Amino acid sequence: MNKWDERYAQEGYLYGIEPNDFLKENFHKIPKGKVLFLAEGEGRNAVFLARQGYEVTAMDSSAVAMEKADRLAQKNNIFITTIVTSLEDFDPGTEQWDGIVSFFCHLPPALRKNVHAGIVQALKKGGVFLAEAYTPEQLKYKTGGPPMKELLVDLPMLKSELHGLRFVHALETVREVHEGKLHFGKGAVVQIIAVKK
Ligand SMILES: C[S@@+](CC[C@H](N)C(=O)[O-])C[C@H]1O[C@@H](n2cnc3c(N)ncnc32)[C@H](O)[C@@H]1O
């Protein structure tokens, strides 16, 4: 069992079953079709999008989380494809996805850069990458996210690593994040919506 499996093994949904606020407000900017969720955890966002009529695939390295995502989908009478694999090994393919989504996916820099290059390659032309994550400023709020600066991301990093996408929303902001037990208050986040050219 990895660290995340242990966390997810407890009763209930660690990040809740409601979708992320930024996704709820902006999902309609993703073209209808096939959407991939990276490091999706227990499925709150993937299930929400599947309920809006998208064809959803979710991946995460935690088998416990993906099992809970399947159960959440069944409870909502919808289907999502779940894949248990690490981003180190996962190949999202080439021009396959109408949308790719990631929330609070905090990776070591070398892996993060590879994943970002893979996202650009894997989106269809006109496909959308939608993401939110904590910035280094979050270290002073202590309301969620990893306490290591190197795992946090800011806008300049995203813009340089996602070369090939056109940013239609790019914002660093401080907002109230109330998404389960581990995201619990005012937090410094970066939000992006970017379209494959
Ligand atoms: C902060 S949680 C966010 C979960 C989900 N995106 C959400 O917002 O509800 C981070 C997730 O990243 C996953 N994760 C961390 N490192 C990973 C990796 N190398 N490959 C795949 N998933 C990973 C963890 O298992 C965990 O589910």
Side-chain angles (χ1 to χ4, degrees):
M1 248 198 195
N2 70 25
K3 171 186 87 175
W4 284 102
D5 278 332
E6 278 170 28
R7 287 182 178 165
Y8 287 131
Q10 59 185 278
E11 189 81 21
Y13 280 71
L14 211 50
Y15 297 100
I17 55 172
E18 294 302 320
N20 167 274
D21 294 332
F22 184 56
L23 178 66
K24 206 157 57 178
E25 287 155 19
N26 292 289
F27 75 88
H28 58 277
K29 293 175 186 160
I30 303 173
K32 269 274 158 69
K34 281 175 58 184
V35 178
L36 171 67
F37 282 75
L38 300 174
E40 166 55 5
E42 301 154 303
R44 63 194 179 107
N45 298 308
V47 167
F48 167 78
L49 205 70
R51 291 184 68 194
Q52 316 305 316
Y54 289 80
E55 187 187 330
V56 170
T57 298
M59 64 78 65
D60 197 284
S61 53
S62 164
V64 177
M66 289 285 87
E67 221 176 282
K68 287 169 97 171
D70 283 331
R71 258 185 274 141
L72 190 62
Q74 280 160 21
K75 244 191 182 152
N76 282 274
N77 295 314
I78 47 102
F79 176 77
I80 60 171
T81 300
T82 50
I83 305 172
V84 179
T85 185
S86 164
L87 283 161
E88 277 96 339
D89 306 320
F90 181 65
D91 176 5
T94 301
E95 302 202 349
Q96 294 238 345
W97 304 97
D98 298 286
I100 299 181
V101 178
S102 109
F103 290 110
F104 305 110
C105 178
H106 294 281
L107 302 170
L111 175 58
R112 188 191 68 226
K113 285 177 195 162
N114 280 344
V115 169
H116 284 161
I119 288 169
V120 176
Q121 184 172 309
L123 281 171
K124 293 178 187 170
K125 284 200 175 69
V128 165
F129 178 46
L130 187 151
E132 183 173 54
Y134 287 118
T135 68
E137 203 194 333
Q138 174 63 4
L139 292 174
K140 72 175 189 235
Y141 290 98
K142 300 187 172 68
T143 52
M148 285 98 89
K149 187 162 187 263
E150 66 274 17
L151 299 185
L152 300 163
V153 282
D154 62 20
L155 213 42
M157 277 178 212
L158 291 173
K159 285 198 164 163
S160 80
E161 292 171 14
L162 291 162
H163 189 71
L165 303 188
R166 180 172 56 86
F167 284 69
V168 294
H169 175 96
L171 181 69
E172 283 192 23
T173 188
V174 174
R175 74 168 186 98
E176 288 290 332
V177 185
H178 293 280
E179 302 184 359
K181 286 181 212 162
L182 295 186
H183 291 168
F184 51 88
K186 196 179 265 197
V189 297
V190 56
Q191 303 174 331
I192 60 162
I193 301 174
V195 184
K196 169 90 168 263
K197 292 180 201 162

